[in-house]
Amino acid sequence: MHLIGLRGMSREKMVGLLDAAEKFLDPQGKVTTPSEDRALLKGKTLALLFMEPSTRTRVSFEIAVQRLGGEVVTVSAEGSSVKKGESAADTCRTLASMGVDGFVVRHHDRQLPHVLVDRLKVPIINAGNGSGEHPTQGLLDALTLRRHFQTGEDLSGLKVAIMGDIVHSRVARSDAHAFSTLGAEVTLVGPRMLLPSDDRTEDWPATITNSRKDALRWADAVVVLRIQQERIHGNLIDAHEYAMNWGIDTSVVNGYMTPDTMILHPGPVIRGVELSDPVVDSDRSLILNQVTNGVALRQAVLKSYFN
Ligand code: CP
Protein backbone atom coordinates (compact mmCIF):
# COMPACT_ATOMS: atom_id res chain seq x y z
CA MET A 1 0.00 0.00 0.00
CA HIS A 2 2.86 2.41 0.83
CA LEU A 3 6.21 3.00 -0.90
CA ILE A 4 8.59 4.34 1.72
CA GLY A 5 11.94 2.79 0.77
CA LEU A 6 13.71 0.11 -1.23
CA ARG A 7 15.55 -1.40 1.72
CA GLY A 8 13.75 -4.68 2.26
CA MET A 9 11.79 -4.62 -1.01
CA SER A 10 12.01 -8.01 -2.75
CA ARG A 11 13.70 -8.56 -6.09
CA GLU A 12 10.36 -9.83 -7.45
CA LYS A 13 8.55 -6.63 -6.45
CA MET A 14 11.27 -4.48 -8.02
CA VAL A 15 11.30 -6.49 -11.26
CA GLY A 16 7.49 -6.26 -11.36
CA LEU A 17 7.60 -2.46 -11.10
CA LEU A 18 10.32 -2.20 -13.76
CA ASP A 19 8.33 -4.48 -16.07
CA ALA A 20 5.21 -2.37 -15.45
CA ALA A 21 7.17 0.80 -16.27
CA GLU A 22 8.30 -0.74 -19.60
CA LYS A 23 4.63 -0.85 -20.62
CA PHE A 24 4.59 2.96 -20.35
CA LEU A 25 7.48 3.33 -22.82
CA ASP A 26 7.11 2.95 -26.58
CA PRO A 27 9.71 1.22 -28.80
CA GLN A 28 11.53 4.56 -29.21
CA GLY A 29 11.75 4.98 -25.43
CA LYS A 30 9.15 7.76 -25.24
CA VAL A 31 6.53 7.78 -22.50
CA THR A 32 3.17 6.45 -23.58
CA THR A 33 -0.06 5.62 -21.77
CA PRO A 34 -2.00 2.67 -23.24
CA SER A 35 -5.71 3.48 -23.64
CA GLU A 36 -6.72 0.88 -21.02
CA ASP A 37 -4.69 2.78 -18.38
CA ARG A 38 -5.92 6.31 -19.12
CA ALA A 39 -8.75 6.16 -16.58
CA LEU A 40 -6.94 4.15 -13.89
CA LEU A 41 -7.06 7.04 -11.42
CA LYS A 42 -10.38 8.50 -12.58
CA GLY A 43 -12.21 9.99 -9.62
CA LYS A 44 -9.07 9.98 -7.45
CA THR A 45 -7.22 13.04 -6.16
CA LEU A 46 -3.59 12.76 -5.12
CA ALA A 47 -1.83 15.41 -3.07
CA LEU A 48 1.83 16.13 -3.73
CA LEU A 49 3.24 17.58 -0.53
CA PHE A 50 6.65 18.98 -1.47
CA MET A 51 8.32 20.73 1.43
CA GLU A 52 11.73 20.73 -0.29
CA PRO A 53 12.51 22.02 -3.81
CA SER A 54 11.96 19.67 -6.73
CA THR A 55 11.60 19.81 -10.49
CA ARG A 56 11.91 16.24 -11.79
CA THR A 57 10.12 14.29 -9.08
CA ARG A 58 7.27 16.74 -8.55
CA VAL A 59 6.53 17.42 -12.21
CA SER A 60 6.88 13.79 -13.27
CA PHE A 61 4.42 12.73 -10.56
CA GLU A 62 2.03 15.50 -11.69
CA ILE A 63 2.28 14.30 -15.30
CA ALA A 64 1.94 10.65 -14.29
CA VAL A 65 -1.23 11.28 -12.24
CA GLN A 66 -2.80 13.29 -15.06
CA ARG A 67 -1.92 10.68 -17.72
CA LEU A 68 -3.69 8.05 -15.62
CA GLY A 69 -6.81 10.20 -15.42
CA GLY A 70 -6.44 11.42 -11.83
CA GLU A 71 -6.55 14.85 -10.27
CA VAL A 72 -3.54 16.32 -8.53
CA VAL A 73 -3.07 19.09 -5.99
CA THR A 74 0.43 20.28 -5.14
CA VAL A 75 1.21 21.84 -1.78
CA SER A 76 4.56 23.45 -1.01
CA ALA A 77 5.83 25.20 2.12
CA GLU A 78 5.54 28.60 0.47
CA GLY A 79 1.91 29.65 0.37
CA SER A 80 0.61 26.91 2.66
CA SER A 81 -0.17 27.03 6.39
CA VAL A 82 3.10 25.19 7.06
CA LYS A 83 4.57 28.68 6.75
CA LYS A 84 2.39 29.70 9.73
CA GLY A 85 3.65 26.82 11.85
CA GLU A 86 1.33 23.91 11.00
CA SER A 87 3.14 20.57 10.98
CA ALA A 88 3.41 18.64 7.72
CA ALA A 89 1.56 15.72 9.35
CA ASP A 90 -1.35 17.99 10.30
CA THR A 91 -1.38 19.43 6.78
CA CYS A 92 -1.74 15.89 5.40
CA ARG A 93 -4.50 15.04 7.90
CA THR A 94 -6.28 18.23 6.81
CA LEU A 95 -6.00 17.27 3.13
CA ALA A 96 -7.12 13.69 3.88
CA SER A 97 -10.23 15.16 5.54
CA MET A 98 -10.98 16.91 2.24
CA GLY A 99 -11.05 13.52 0.55
CA VAL A 100 -7.54 13.25 -0.87
CA ASP A 101 -6.93 9.61 -1.87
CA GLY A 102 -3.17 9.45 -1.37
CA PHE A 103 0.01 11.42 -0.84
CA VAL A 104 3.38 11.83 -2.52
CA VAL A 105 5.60 13.46 0.08
CA ARG A 106 8.99 15.16 0.07
CA HIS A 107 10.24 16.51 3.39
CA HIS A 108 13.53 16.97 5.21
CA ASP A 109 12.27 14.88 8.17
CA ARG A 110 13.26 11.22 7.72
CA GLN A 111 10.46 10.12 10.04
CA LEU A 112 7.58 11.92 8.31
CA PRO A 113 6.60 9.11 5.85
CA HIS A 114 6.46 6.65 8.76
CA VAL A 115 4.34 9.05 10.83
CA LEU A 116 1.93 9.46 7.90
CA VAL A 117 1.68 5.69 7.43
CA ASP A 118 0.68 5.41 11.11
CA ARG A 119 -1.83 8.25 11.05
CA LEU A 120 -3.50 8.10 7.63
CA LYS A 121 -5.49 5.38 5.91
CA VAL A 122 -4.45 6.21 2.34
CA PRO A 123 -1.31 5.26 0.35
CA ILE A 124 1.87 7.24 1.05
CA ILE A 125 4.65 7.47 -1.54
CA ASN A 126 7.97 8.79 -0.25
CA ALA A 127 9.46 11.27 -2.75
CA GLY A 128 12.50 11.95 -0.58
CA ASN A 129 12.79 12.07 3.23
CA GLY A 130 15.91 14.02 4.14
CA SER A 131 18.95 11.80 3.73
CA GLY A 132 16.74 8.69 4.04
CA GLU A 133 15.44 7.24 0.78
CA HIS A 134 14.12 8.29 -2.62
CA PRO A 135 12.59 5.00 -3.80
CA THR A 136 11.16 6.09 -7.15
CA GLN A 137 14.59 7.51 -8.07
CA GLY A 138 16.25 4.20 -7.19
CA LEU A 139 13.75 2.32 -9.34
CA LEU A 140 14.00 4.68 -12.31
CA ASP A 141 17.79 4.49 -12.16
CA ALA A 142 17.56 0.69 -12.16
CA LEU A 143 15.16 0.87 -15.11
CA THR A 144 17.56 3.16 -16.99
CA LEU A 145 20.47 0.77 -16.42
CA ARG A 146 18.40 -2.30 -17.33
CA ARG A 147 17.23 -0.70 -20.57
CA HIS A 148 20.63 0.63 -21.61
CA PHE A 149 22.69 -2.46 -20.80
CA GLN A 150 19.95 -4.93 -21.77
CA THR A 151 20.81 -7.02 -18.73
CA GLY A 152 17.58 -9.01 -18.81
CA GLU A 153 15.13 -9.18 -15.91
CA ASP A 154 17.49 -7.73 -13.32
CA LEU A 155 20.96 -6.11 -13.23
CA SER A 156 23.03 -9.26 -12.71
CA GLY A 157 26.60 -8.90 -13.92
CA LEU A 158 26.57 -5.09 -13.93
CA LYS A 159 29.17 -3.09 -11.98
CA VAL A 160 27.88 0.28 -10.78
CA ALA A 161 29.80 3.00 -8.94
CA ILE A 162 27.87 5.63 -6.99
CA MET A 163 30.11 8.66 -6.66
CA GLY A 164 30.15 11.83 -4.60
CA ASP A 165 28.35 12.89 -1.44
CA ILE A 166 27.09 9.48 -0.36
CA VAL A 167 26.31 10.01 3.34
CA HIS A 168 23.87 12.87 2.79
CA SER A 169 22.20 11.31 -0.25
CA ARG A 170 18.83 9.56 -0.21
CA VAL A 171 19.41 8.71 -3.89
CA ALA A 172 22.64 6.87 -3.05
CA ARG A 173 20.85 4.75 -0.44
CA SER A 174 17.89 3.87 -2.67
CA ASP A 175 20.18 3.22 -5.64
CA ALA A 176 22.43 0.95 -3.57
CA HIS A 177 19.45 -1.09 -2.36
CA ALA A 178 17.86 -1.28 -5.81
CA PHE A 179 21.01 -2.21 -7.68
CA SER A 180 22.26 -4.77 -5.15
CA THR A 181 18.82 -6.41 -4.77
CA LEU A 182 18.70 -6.66 -8.56
CA GLY A 183 22.07 -8.44 -8.65
CA ALA A 184 24.52 -5.67 -9.56
CA GLU A 185 27.85 -5.15 -7.82
CA VAL A 186 27.84 -1.72 -6.21
CA THR A 187 30.71 0.43 -4.97
CA LEU A 188 30.45 3.78 -3.22
CA VAL A 189 33.22 6.26 -4.04
CA GLY A 190 33.97 9.75 -2.83
CA PRO A 191 35.99 11.80 -0.38
CA ARG A 192 36.34 9.99 2.97
CA MET A 193 34.25 12.57 4.84
CA LEU A 194 31.31 11.93 2.47
CA LEU A 195 31.44 8.13 2.64
CA PRO A 196 29.79 5.77 5.16
CA SER A 197 32.27 4.37 7.67
CA ASP A 198 31.46 0.68 7.05
CA ASP A 199 30.86 -1.26 3.87
CA ARG A 200 28.50 -4.16 3.13
CA THR A 201 26.09 -3.16 5.92
CA GLU A 202 22.32 -3.53 5.89
CA ASP A 203 22.13 0.22 5.37
CA TRP A 204 24.77 0.28 2.63
CA PRO A 205 24.87 -3.00 0.64
CA ALA A 206 28.02 -1.99 -1.25
CA THR A 207 31.79 -1.87 -1.11
CA ILE A 208 33.50 1.47 -0.45
CA THR A 209 36.57 3.12 -1.97
CA ASN A 210 38.01 6.59 -2.02
CA SER A 211 39.91 6.02 -5.27
CA ARG A 212 38.13 7.76 -8.14
CA LYS A 213 40.52 6.14 -10.62
CA ASP A 214 39.91 2.58 -9.38
CA ALA A 215 36.12 3.03 -9.29
CA LEU A 216 35.89 4.55 -12.75
CA ARG A 217 38.16 1.88 -14.28
CA TRP A 218 36.04 -0.85 -12.70
CA ALA A 219 32.51 0.43 -13.37
CA ASP A 220 30.18 -0.20 -16.30
CA ALA A 221 28.16 2.80 -15.12
CA VAL A 222 28.69 5.59 -12.63
CA VAL A 223 25.89 7.43 -10.85
CA VAL A 224 27.28 10.87 -10.08
CA LEU A 225 25.77 12.84 -7.20
CA ARG A 226 25.53 16.51 -6.28
CA ILE A 227 27.05 17.70 -3.01
CA GLN A 228 24.06 18.08 -0.67
CA GLN A 229 25.28 21.39 0.80
CA GLU A 230 21.84 21.92 2.40
CA ARG A 231 22.38 18.84 4.57
CA ILE A 232 26.01 19.52 5.52
CA HIS A 233 26.30 21.16 8.91
CA GLY A 234 29.60 22.83 9.72
CA ASN A 235 32.24 23.14 7.01
CA LEU A 236 30.74 23.30 3.53
CA ILE A 237 32.59 21.59 0.70
CA ASP A 238 34.57 23.96 -1.55
CA ALA A 239 33.06 23.49 -5.02
CA HIS A 240 36.28 24.37 -6.90
CA GLU A 241 38.38 21.99 -4.84
CA TYR A 242 35.74 19.26 -5.24
CA ALA A 243 35.68 19.74 -9.01
CA MET A 244 39.47 19.40 -9.16
CA ASN A 245 39.56 16.17 -7.13
CA TRP A 246 36.21 14.53 -7.83
CA GLY A 247 34.64 16.16 -10.86
CA ILE A 248 34.41 14.26 -14.12
CA ASP A 249 35.62 16.18 -17.15
CA THR A 250 36.81 14.99 -20.55
CA SER A 251 40.34 14.25 -19.30
CA VAL A 252 38.96 12.03 -16.51
CA VAL A 253 36.66 10.28 -18.98
CA ASN A 254 39.51 9.66 -21.42
CA GLY A 255 41.95 8.68 -18.69
CA TYR A 256 39.87 6.23 -16.68
CA MET A 257 36.68 5.17 -18.43
CA THR A 258 36.10 2.65 -21.20
CA PRO A 259 34.21 3.82 -24.31
CA ASP A 260 31.13 1.98 -23.00
CA THR A 261 31.06 3.34 -19.44
CA MET A 262 27.86 5.31 -18.94
CA ILE A 263 27.13 8.26 -16.66
CA LEU A 264 23.92 8.81 -14.72
CA HIS A 265 22.96 11.70 -12.44
CA PRO A 266 19.63 12.12 -10.60
CA GLY A 267 19.77 15.89 -11.07
CA PRO A 268 19.93 18.72 -10.57
CA VAL A 269 23.44 18.73 -12.11
CA ILE A 270 25.72 21.53 -10.97
CA ARG A 271 27.66 21.92 -14.21
CA GLY A 272 31.37 22.49 -13.73
CA VAL A 273 31.39 20.88 -10.26
CA GLU A 274 30.56 17.17 -10.41
CA LEU A 275 30.38 17.00 -14.23
CA SER A 276 31.79 19.31 -16.91
CA ASP A 277 29.53 20.72 -19.64
CA PRO A 278 30.87 18.42 -22.41
CA VAL A 279 30.43 15.33 -20.23
CA VAL A 280 26.84 16.23 -19.27
CA ASP A 281 26.00 16.65 -22.95
CA SER A 282 27.99 13.66 -24.26
CA ASP A 283 26.63 10.42 -25.70
CA ARG A 284 27.65 8.55 -22.57
CA SER A 285 25.26 10.62 -20.45
CA LEU A 286 21.96 8.87 -19.59
CA ILE A 287 20.67 11.86 -17.60
CA LEU A 288 17.75 12.73 -19.85
CA ASN A 289 16.88 9.04 -20.27
CA GLN A 290 16.53 8.95 -16.48
CA VAL A 291 14.11 11.87 -16.62
CA THR A 292 11.97 10.23 -19.31
CA ASN A 293 12.04 6.87 -17.55
CA GLY A 294 11.00 8.66 -14.36
CA VAL A 295 7.56 9.46 -15.79
CA ALA A 296 7.03 5.86 -16.92
CA LEU A 297 8.24 4.48 -13.62
CA ARG A 298 5.98 6.81 -11.64
CA GLN A 299 3.01 5.80 -13.76
CA ALA A 300 3.85 2.19 -12.88
CA VAL A 301 4.13 3.04 -9.17
CA LEU A 302 0.78 4.87 -9.19
CA LYS A 303 -0.82 1.95 -11.00
CA SER A 304 0.57 -0.49 -8.43
CA TYR A 305 -0.03 1.49 -5.22
CA PHE A 306 -3.28 3.35 -5.99
CA ASN A 307 -5.24 0.70 -7.81
N1 CP B 1 16.20 13.59 -8.77
C1 CP B 1 15.42 14.46 -8.07
O1 CP B 1 14.90 14.16 -7.00
O2 CP B 1 15.31 15.67 -8.66
P1 CP B 1 14.35 16.84 -8.14
O3 CP B 1 14.94 17.33 -6.83
O4 CP B 1 14.36 17.88 -9.21
O5 CP B 1 13.00 16.24 -7.91
Side-chain angles (χ1 to χ4, degrees), residues 2-18 61 110 113-114 124-129 131-143 145 155 162 169-183 186 201-205 297-298 301 304-305:
H2 310 288
L3 177 55
I4 306 303
L6 300 183
R7 180 175 171 171
M9 184 183 281
S10 69
R11 175 192 173 281
E12 288 64 35
K13 177 74 181 169
M14 286 187 197
V15 168
L17 286 168
L18 302 193
F61 265 116
R110 281 181 76 157
H114 305 284
I124 308 295
I125 307 294
N126 176 17
N129 57 331
S131 56
E133 282 225 37
H134 190 350
T136 56
Q137 184 72 46
L139 291 167
L140 78 88
D141 289 347
L143 177 66
L145 290 170
L155 301 178
I162 305 174
S169 173
R170 52 200 176 207
V171 173
R173 188 174 281 100
S174 287
D175 275 358
H177 284 290
F179 303 162
S180 67
T181 299
L182 291 168
V186 184
T201 61
E202 278 187 25
D203 203 25
W204 292 108
L297 186 280
R298 287 175 179 123
V301 163
S304 170
Y305 286 84

Side-chain angles (χ1 to χ4, degrees), residues 233-256:
H233 306 294
N235 289 341
L236 294 184
I237 309 290
D238 180 78
H240 180 70
E241 198 179 312
Y242 185 88
M244 296 287 290
N245 295 317
W246 291 98
I248 299 182
D249 61 12
T250 307
S251 67
V252 171
V253 166
N254 293 339
Y256 305 149

Side-chain angles (χ1 to χ4, degrees), residues 159-164 187-190 209-224 245-264 274-275 279 284:
K159 292 181 279 188
V160 188
I162 305 174
M163 189 170 120
T187 199
L188 310 173
V189 56
T209 176
N210 71 338
S211 168
R212 177 177 65 173
K213 181 172 73 175
D214 289 351
L216 295 182
R217 284 193 169 148
W218 168 84
D220 299 308
V222 54
V223 179
V224 179
N245 295 317
W246 291 98
I248 299 182
D249 61 12
T250 307
S251 67
V252 171
V253 166
N254 293 339
Y256 305 149
M257 295 165 84
T258 75
D260 299 326
T261 312
M262 302 305 287
I263 293 174
L264 293 82
E274 63 266 18
L275 294 172
V279 173
R284 69 173 74 233

Side-chain angles (χ1 to χ4, degrees), residues 50 52-59 106 127 134 137 140 170-171 226 265-268 298:
F50 274 69
E52 286 186 340
S54 171
T55 297
R56 281 147 284 268
T57 312
R58 179 178 55 77
V59 176
R106 171 171 291 192
H134 190 350
Q137 184 72 46
L140 78 88
R170 52 200 176 207
V171 173
R226 178 177 70 86
H265 192 304
R298 287 175 179 123

Side-chain angles (χ1 to χ4, degrees), residues 14 51 97 145 151-152 169 231 243 248 260 271-272 286:
M14 286 187 197
M51 295 291 147
S97 299
L145 290 170
T151 50
S169 173
R231 294 194 203 116
I248 299 182
D260 299 326
R271 287 175 181 250
L286 292 174

